[in-house]
Amino acid sequence: MRGLEGRRVIVTGGASGIGRASVCRLVAEGCTVGIFDRNAAGAEETAALAAGPGRAASYLVDVADHAGVAAALSRFEQDFGPVEGLAHIAGWDRPQLFLETEPSLWDEVVRINLYGTLVMHHVVVRGMAERGAGRVVNVASDAGRVGSSGEAVYAACKGGVIAFTKTLARELAGRGVTLNTLCPGPTETPLFSSFVQDSPFGARLAEGIQRAIPLSRLGQPEDCAGMIAFLLSEDAAYITGQTISVSGGLTMQ
Ligand SMILES: NC(=O)c1ccc[n+]([C@@H]2O[C@H](COP(=O)([O-])OP(=O)(O)OC[C@H]3O[C@@H](n4cnc5c(N)ncnc54)[C@H](O)[C@@H]3O)[C@@H](O)[C@H]2O)c1
């Protein structure tokens, strides 16, 4: 893809699943990637797995910790230079029917999925706007477009990520920064396995979902990694404020 070689990109959630596949794809495209994740061992494993021509380095970060994100960004920029792209992929949920949830669960889901998104942009996108160039991809979820039983608060956060991305895309269009949202459908990752395991709808959920997907299979992390690389590249220079599902056709909007 055009313009990716040598690009400096931060990837949150790069220790696992879609984030790990995205780091591997971006390093294969020649990017220098900073992996921001709270799972230090997983992030280091990803950095070791990712095969060049690019490179990856890991930073222990909680995306909802403003000072921690600022410190990690400053270390990345000292190590490699100004950041040019952000793939904000980190996310978390524990499925439960809404009326059975406690506010402590809402706090954690909102902190990671919504507040963490605000923090990442407040810290990382500021420099891009000042320099007049940047590409951002936020990973939300089809739950934020069409709802998902057992994921009410998570879906609310992901809907918030979509609206936030569109708003910043408007605010920053004149400053050379594009922002788009990718909504994965059901994708085989550790998060999806725990969703199926903990779901109030039981273990047959994955089978049922698979039957409903027009392309007849669950997503793989690499299915999203290609779209993330594209949206960070110069091939996507004229695309901003868009929401794109990578879901095997499960949702068509
Ligand atoms: N897998 C799916 O079916 C699916 C569907 C829709 C959306 N998503 C979204 O895709 C993204 C990636 O999910 P995945 O399935 O690869 O999950 P995953 O659990 O495999 O990976 C998530 C990563 O985010 C990191 N993370 C979580 N909270 C963090 C925090 N506070 N600070 C820093 N890092 C943190 C984890 O350590 C982990 O490495 C998430 O935003 C998720 O909501 C996934």
Side-chain angles (χ1 to χ4, degrees):
M1 285 168 197
R2 286 187 301 134
L4 272 185
E5 204 177 334
R7 189 156 276 185
R8 293 176 288 271
V9 179
I10 302 294
V11 177
T12 71
S16 177
I18 294 168
R20 171 171 285 180
S22 301
V23 171
C24 290
R25 176 64 188 263
L26 291 168
V27 168
E29 296 276 354
C31 294
T32 294
V33 178
I35 305 169
F36 281 21
D37 204 294
R38 65 179 176 178
N39 172 357
E44 276 164 27
E45 204 175 289
T46 301
L49 266 175
R55 57 193 165 166
S58 64
Y59 300 80
L60 179 60
V61 180
D62 178 340
V63 294
D65 170 9
H66 200 287
V69 171
L73 177 68
S74 157
R75 277 194 290 132
F76 174 84
E77 294 195 326
Q78 274 163 22
D79 291 345
F80 301 111
V83 66
E84 297 162 294
L86 167 66
H88 176 45
I89 304 175
W92 179 79
D93 193 22
R94 192 175 68 225
Q96 200 168 14
L97 293 173
F98 179 68
L99 295 181
E100 293 169 9
T101 57
E102 294 292 336
S104 58
L105 178 67
W106 312 348
D107 289 346
E108 190 59 355
V109 172
V110 171
R111 193 185 77 81
I112 294 175
N113 296 290
L114 189 55
Y115 192 75
T117 301
L118 308 186
V119 168
M120 283 307 304
H121 289 70
H122 201 248
V123 175
V124 177
V125 176
R126 181 181 305 281
M128 294 180 186
E130 283 166 6
R131 291 185 290 274
R135 298 259 175 276
V136 178
V137 186
N138 287 314
V139 171
S141 169
D142 271 347
R145 306 184 94 179
V146 299
S148 174
S149 298
E151 298 194 289
V153 181
Y154 171 85
C157 292
K158 294 298 194 178
V161 170
I162 294 169
F164 175 74
T165 305
K166 289 179 182 175
T167 301
L168 274 201
R170 291 183 187 280
E171 289 188 7
L172 297 177
R175 302 180 72 181
V177 183
T178 65
L179 300 96
N180 294 288
T181 308
L182 184 156
C183 291
T187 303
E188 285 189 298
T189 68
L191 181 68
F192 182 71
S193 303
S194 68
F195 172 75
V196 170
Q197 208 169 30
D198 298 346
S199 169
F201 302 98
R204 281 181 304 159
L205 183 74
E207 258 174 63
I209 292 174
Q210 195 163 332
R211 269 200 305 276
I213 294 173
L215 291 180
S216 306
R217 66 169 175 86
L218 291 169
Q220 296 303 312
E222 293 72 22
D223 292 320
C224 288
M227 180 55 78
I228 286 170
F230 168 70
L231 290 171
L232 291 171
S233 80
E234 284 316 291
D235 285 322
Y238 196 53
I239 303 173
T240 196
Q242 303 305 304
T243 308
I244 300 164
S245 289
V246 176
S247 62
L250 181 61
T251 52
M252 297 191 185
Q253 292 214 340

